[in-house]
Amino acid sequence: MKKARGFGQLYSISPWQEFDYYVRGRGAMSSRRAARLLGLWPVRAEEDESFDTGALDISRLFVDRLLGAAASGQTPSQRIEALRLLNPREEQRVDLERFLHSAATRPLLTSLENLVGCRHLWVNELKLEGAAHVIQAIELVPWRTRQGKLAKWSGLIQEAQDEPPVLILDPKADANGNYAKLELRWKSRPDNLEKNAVQYQVTIVTDMNEELASRDVPHSAKKEEKCRFTNDDFAGLSDDALINAKIVVSVIGDDSVATQESDEFIIRFGTPPDKATGGAGKVVRTFSEGLIELDDRDMVTAMASATDSFPLDSKGYVVRARRNGARAFACSVRRWFTKWNRTGCRATARSGGGR
């Protein structure tokens, strides 16, 4: 009964359901077959098998993953895939998908009642994969998005088109805190590999295969594995270094898993480009509407007369801000109007308050 109610008694069991179960489910084998009366997936059991509460945990899992509210937005095939069944027969997969289609328009208990004649879909006829202990392959997550742009999490910068991305190390990072971050992500196969089952060696090497930095990373069993390098990993480089490099990922002690290499990138010292600032505020039709909200005539004159380029925020807007006592004002104009001139311009703009 506790298993049927779930963790924290999430599911309610009516007194009639409880009575019906005790009457029709007398005996260890019958009780598991009658689990459907309590909203659990039926469990196959032999007469001489001892009662295993672990099977009821799996029964609860079947219901949650296949018929629960959390799975309502998934197709039947997606739900079956998420359940991670161990080598199901084609007949079982087809019948299970057909059952889920029919269950979409029926109450839970009615749907489970229809499983009575489908013993090949019961728990123990359908088994789940256990946690894997042997790694089969490594798959690197690309640094570039589907649009061909560098992902921000990579820590790399595209300085020139058709050239490798760049990792810029600030030589004054200890003073200004502007540390670089180089990140590599990868996925392991199978994706249910047990935590700490393997250790990875992540190495940065030059185009001459000279090692620059290396780290040992235990398997975390998360969706993606990751490793980060910072300025401290390149402490041995001179400030005038200009190095073509790549990252190599391998499994320590298992040569059967193919080593993976990242795309080439460049390491150099220098001052990283300024990070884009953020802007906040409401959308106004023109920059002049933002100026109207200013209560300082001299500020309006200065901004309207400015010929220098305005700083850009992270969304491609040009940011103008001022402080008037405790009040802050920000106005942004889209990137293609980066300068204000005396003739004015028509643009989509943002103006707003607290920063």
Side-chain angles (χ1 to χ4, degrees):
M1 203 62 61
K2 181 186 293 186
K3 300 293 184 183
R5 289 193 171 97
F7 181 77
Q9 297 191 348
L10 181 63
Y11 305 97
S12 61
I13 305 295
S14 69
W16 170 250
Q17 281 181 273
E18 191 170 344
F19 173 77
D20 191 28
Y21 171 76
Y22 283 131
V23 171
R24 298 169 61 181
R26 287 180 296 177
M29 185 176 69
S30 297
S31 65
R32 280 172 282 188
R33 291 177 178 174
R36 69 185 187 283
L37 302 174
L38 301 176
L40 293 173
W41 203 275
V43 180
R44 181 193 62 77
E46 302 298 338
E47 292 285 357
D48 57 349
E49 284 186 17
S50 59
F51 189 81
D52 180 15
T53 58
L56 294 181
D57 290 327
I58 298 176
S59 174
R60 176 83 268 164
L61 180 66
F62 267 59
V63 174
D64 291 343
R65 293 280 180 87
L66 297 177
L67 300 173
S72 60
Q74 298 176 319
T75 65
S77 59
Q78 289 175 326
R79 300 181 200 182
I80 296 172
E81 191 67 28
L83 194 58
R84 304 196 61 81
L85 296 174
L86 177 64
N87 301 324
R89 302 191 306 272
E90 183 64 23
E91 175 196 9
Q92 291 175 312
R93 181 177 288 275
V94 171
D95 288 350
L96 183 56
E97 188 166 340
R98 185 182 296 117
F99 165 76
L100 293 179
H101 275 294
S102 65
T105 57
R106 298 176 181 174
L108 176 62
L109 294 180
T110 303
S111 298
L112 293 175
E113 189 70 29
N114 292 334
L115 287 173
V116 173
C118 303
R119 289 179 57 91
H120 63 300
L121 299 182
W122 292 10
V123 173
N124 288 334
E125 287 289 344
L126 291 173
K127 297 183 179 181
L128 300 180
E129 291 182 356
H133 299 273
V134 179
I135 188 172
Q136 298 174 356
I138 299 172
E139 177 187 340
L140 297 187
V141 177
W143 277 327
R144 295 189 181 275
T145 65
R146 294 179 180 178
Q147 292 74 33
K149 298 181 179 180
L150 279 172
K152 291 183 179 180
W153 56 261
S154 68
L156 297 171
I157 298 171
Q158 190 70 59
E159 288 192 319
Q161 193 173 4
D162 300 327
E163 291 291 332
V166 181
L167 175 68
I168 302 178
L169 305 174
D170 191 338
K172 300 179 181 179
D174 289 338
N176 58 29
N178 193 14
Y179 291 97
K181 178 204 72 173
L182 174 63
E183 183 171 311
L184 185 72
R185 299 179 181 181
W186 65 93
K187 299 178 181 179
S188 300
R189 297 288 181 264
D191 54 13
N192 62 331
L193 190 65
E194 190 176 53
K195 185 177 181 180
N196 295 323
V198 297
Q199 282 220 340
Y200 308 95
Q201 186 173 66
V202 186
T203 308
I204 301 178
V205 298
T206 68
D207 53 358
M208 302 296 291
N209 282 328
E210 297 175 343
E211 183 177 310
L212 295 177
S214 181
R215 291 196 177 187
D216 293 347
V217 181
H219 182 71
S220 66
K222 296 181 179 179
K223 183 179 180 181
E224 294 178 348
E225 307 296 314
K226 63 178 65 175
C227 180
R228 290 180 179 176
F229 296 90
T230 63
N231 294 56
D232 295 336
D233 295 292
F234 306 99
L237 299 180
S238 60
D239 289 354
D240 59 350
L242 182 64
I243 301 172
N244 286 62
K246 61 184 176 183
I247 304 180
V248 179
V249 183
S250 60
V251 178
I252 298 176
D254 191 345
D255 296 334
S256 65
V257 179
T259 298
Q260 299 296 312
E261 297 182 355
S262 73
D263 294 334
E264 186 180 87
F265 62 97
I266 297 173
I267 303 174
R268 72 170 179 84
F269 283 84
T271 303
D274 293 335
K275 295 182 180 179
T277 58
K282 65 182 180 181
V283 176
V284 296
R285 293 175 299 175
T286 63
F287 188 61
S288 58
E289 288 190 6
L291 294 179
I292 291 173
E293 298 189 22
L294 293 173
D295 54 7
D296 188 328
R297 184 183 182 86
D298 293 337
M299 177 63 71
V300 173
T301 301
M303 292 181 66
S305 303
T307 58
D308 57 321
S309 296
F310 296 160
L312 299 175
D313 71 3
S314 58
K315 293 185 178 180
Y317 287 84
V318 177
V319 181
R320 296 302 289 171
R322 65 177 287 270
R323 293 190 177 276
N324 182 10
R327 177 176 175 271
F329 174 86
C331 182
S332 306
V333 183
R334 287 194 186 279
R335 184 187 297 271
W336 50 83
F337 290 112
T338 58
K339 291 186 178 182
W340 178 264
N341 55 53
R342 293 179 184 275
T343 59
C345 63
R346 214 177 146 72
T348 302
R350 296 186 305 181
S351 65
R355 287 171 58 90

